[in-house]
Amino acid sequence: MRIHVFNVVMIVAFVLGANSPILLAQKQDLKYGSQYQGKREDAAMQKFRSNRFGQFIHWGLYAIPGGEWKGKVYPGAAEWLQSSAKISSSSWNALVDKFNPSKYNPDEWAIMAKKMGVKYATITTKHHDGFCLWNSEYTDFDIEATKYNGDLIKEFVEAYKRQGIDVYFYYSILDWHHPDWRNDIKTDEDSIAFERYFQFAKNQLLELQAKFPEVKGFWFDGTWDESWKKNGKYSYEIEMALKAVNPDIIVNSRLRADDYGSRHFDSNGDLMGDYQSGFERFLPKNTDSTIVKMDWESCMTIPVNQWGYHKDWSLSHVKFADEIIEMLVKSVSLNGNFLLNFGPDGNGAIREEEVAIANEIGKWMTLNSDAIYNGVFANLEKQDWGYYIKNTKTNTLYGVLFNKPISNLIKVKLPKNVKLKGCVLSYDGQKSLQIIPHEKHYLVKLPKIMFKHPVVLEFKLE
Ligand code: FHN
């Protein structure tokens, strides 16, 4: 068993107690650990943070079979079909000849995304199967090899730019197609091959950055294998290389592994990359007091676990718009971003259900986005009726109501020196709601009507 010096220090400190000078002082030197302490406060990061709501797009060859192979429907994630249906590389690679998305209309996608209210979009440039949606100089397994006559990622970037939506690139480090990819490094030959793979990935990433200088950041995935964890220097070097070209680039924590294979957070407990991206299909708990101190993002599917297009959505619960809105609001209330996934089909069309959900969310955002963009943790005691959010630009306090009490009275607990002077429903700014001081808090009287969707309350404080 390997015991690192750091672990020994931690054990000693644990025995001595939480206030031990050792625990307070000792941080070990890491070559490939966190690159800075605390949060990034430059304009690019502030923009990312203020965006709050993003669209994730998983699109690739897997959209053609849509979870079905040789007449059998596989209930697992559609983008994993090559692995779950044990499809040979040659059969999978043959999908390249079928990829010709005649319905691909990135302007339509971008308009839909804008109406939904997102401020950024993250698209898969390469998923685990290794197929590249851009024309890459470093592989033939890319869009250029298909019948599609165009530069798909370029068209995407331009369309989203026209709508004022920031673009981020998803890139899978794990690569089932590349001959030099290794899950683990057991021999010298593995090391040599993996070094070649690293150069390939780095070249591709720099190529993407050079071709699309407007890209705001990279969203890495497929970084859980031993080969990657054992080589912290690779993930460190990639982050450094991208930031050397553009210091504003934003990188998710999932890329990184430190000297000891620790992921997201290094062995000193410091976050690597620019924000915590470990919240996949779940949100942090309201009671997690550490979460509000960092930047983070939760990525979410609409069905339980489908990222790429799957034909059969009857196989799992499909979230409804208000359920997703609650996740978005909860994320913002805890200082996080929320990235909602869409999986276009093999022709490039976004399925009806996703369009309907996007439209519903968009209607809500049109009325209530002041509580989302620039929203932060309000540092108030959470109440069961919903979530508090403070808008940093206007300094306004909002409450987003999801559970209307049968009494129509909601409790608002403020710090001692703060008074509640008024409260309005933000869609109906004229009418002041009655405020009743009660013990050490306030009660706000809501109208008796049933709200069809979550409503936002604007609190006036003094
Ligand atoms: O395996 C992938 C999966 O297909 C999808 O891309 C998600 C998105 O966060 N990430 C991986 C699993 O962690």
Side-chain angles (χ1 to χ4, degrees), residues 56 58 79-80 127-128 170 219 221 224 254 280 299 307:
F56 212 171
H58 273 69
E79 71 285 359
W80 274 79
H127 202 264
H128 309 333
Y170 169 109
W219 205 105
D221 202 4
W224 49 78
R254 215 179 267 215
E280 179 173 315
C299 56
W307 299 90

Side-chain angles (χ1 to χ4, degrees), residues 251-291:
V251 169
N252 65 336
S253 61
R254 215 179 267 215
L255 169 69
R256 299 289 304 283
D258 79 352
D259 311 41
Y260 302 118
S262 178
R263 297 179 66 221
H264 297 279
F265 292 89
D266 67 19
S267 303
N268 288 325
D270 294 321
L271 182 71
M272 295 181 285
D274 300 313
Y275 64 94
Q276 222 279 55
S277 63
F279 300 99
E280 179 173 315
R281 298 188 294 119
F282 73 101
L283 299 181
K285 292 202 165 59
N286 291 313
T287 47
D288 180 350
S289 59
T290 58
I291 199 68

Side-chain angles (χ1 to χ4, degrees), residues 55-217:
Q55 179 189 39
F56 212 171
I57 298 220
H58 273 69
W59 200 30
L61 296 180
Y62 43 79
I64 301 171
E68 182 180 342
W69 198 256
K70 295 198 170 149
K72 184 174 169 194
V73 174
Y74 291 79
E79 71 285 359
W80 274 79
L81 186 69
Q82 184 183 1
S83 160
S84 47
K86 300 191 172 54
I87 301 168
S88 68
S89 315
S90 56
S91 303
W92 192 260
N93 298 351
L95 289 173
V96 165
D97 299 329
K98 291 195 181 160
F99 194 79
N100 190 8
S102 55
K103 292 196 181 142
Y104 175 47
N105 183 339
D107 280 307
E108 236 173 51
W109 291 14
I111 290 167
M112 184 195 96
K114 173 135 191 211
K115 268 172 65 188
M116 180 168 73
V118 299
K119 295 276 188 192
Y120 68 106
T122 306
I123 184 165
T124 48
T125 55
K126 175 180 88 136
H127 202 264
H128 309 333
D129 68 356
F131 178 71
C132 298
L133 282 183
W134 83 101
N135 178 2
S136 174
E137 195 186 309
Y138 301 97
T139 180
D140 293 334
F141 194 47
D142 66 357
I143 191 69
E144 206 192 5
T146 69
K147 295 196 179 80
Y148 182 72
N149 188 17
D151 195 336
L152 198 147
I153 290 287
K154 185 164 179 272
E155 292 155 15
F156 178 90
V157 171
E158 283 168 1
Y160 275 67
K161 211 161 95 181
R162 277 193 282 278
Q163 298 305 323
I165 300 174
D166 293 342
V167 173
Y168 287 75
F169 287 157
Y170 169 109
Y171 183 92
S172 172
I173 294 287
L174 166 67
D175 191 318
W176 298 328
H177 180 82
H178 200 287
D180 290 327
W181 169 261
R182 296 288 183 278
N183 298 106
D184 202 351
I185 310 291
K186 292 194 169 133
T187 63
D188 287 349
E189 194 282 321
D190 287 340
S191 289
I192 295 164
F194 203 63
E195 170 67 31
R196 278 196 303 264
Y197 179 76
F198 163 68
Q199 291 303 338
F200 159 79
K202 189 168 152 192
N203 285 338
Q204 282 208 316
L205 289 159
L206 292 173
E207 178 187 46
L208 276 170
Q209 213 180 5
K211 273 190 132 186
F212 307 106
E214 55 275 83
V215 68
K216 302 288 180 207

Side-chain angles (χ1 to χ4, degrees), residues 12-31:
V12 172
F14 180 73
V15 171
L16 292 176
N19 288 329
S20 135
I22 293 181
L23 189 62
L24 295 176
Q26 284 287 347
K27 282 214 173 191
Q28 66 176 325
D29 273 344
L30 295 169
K31 271 207 229 150

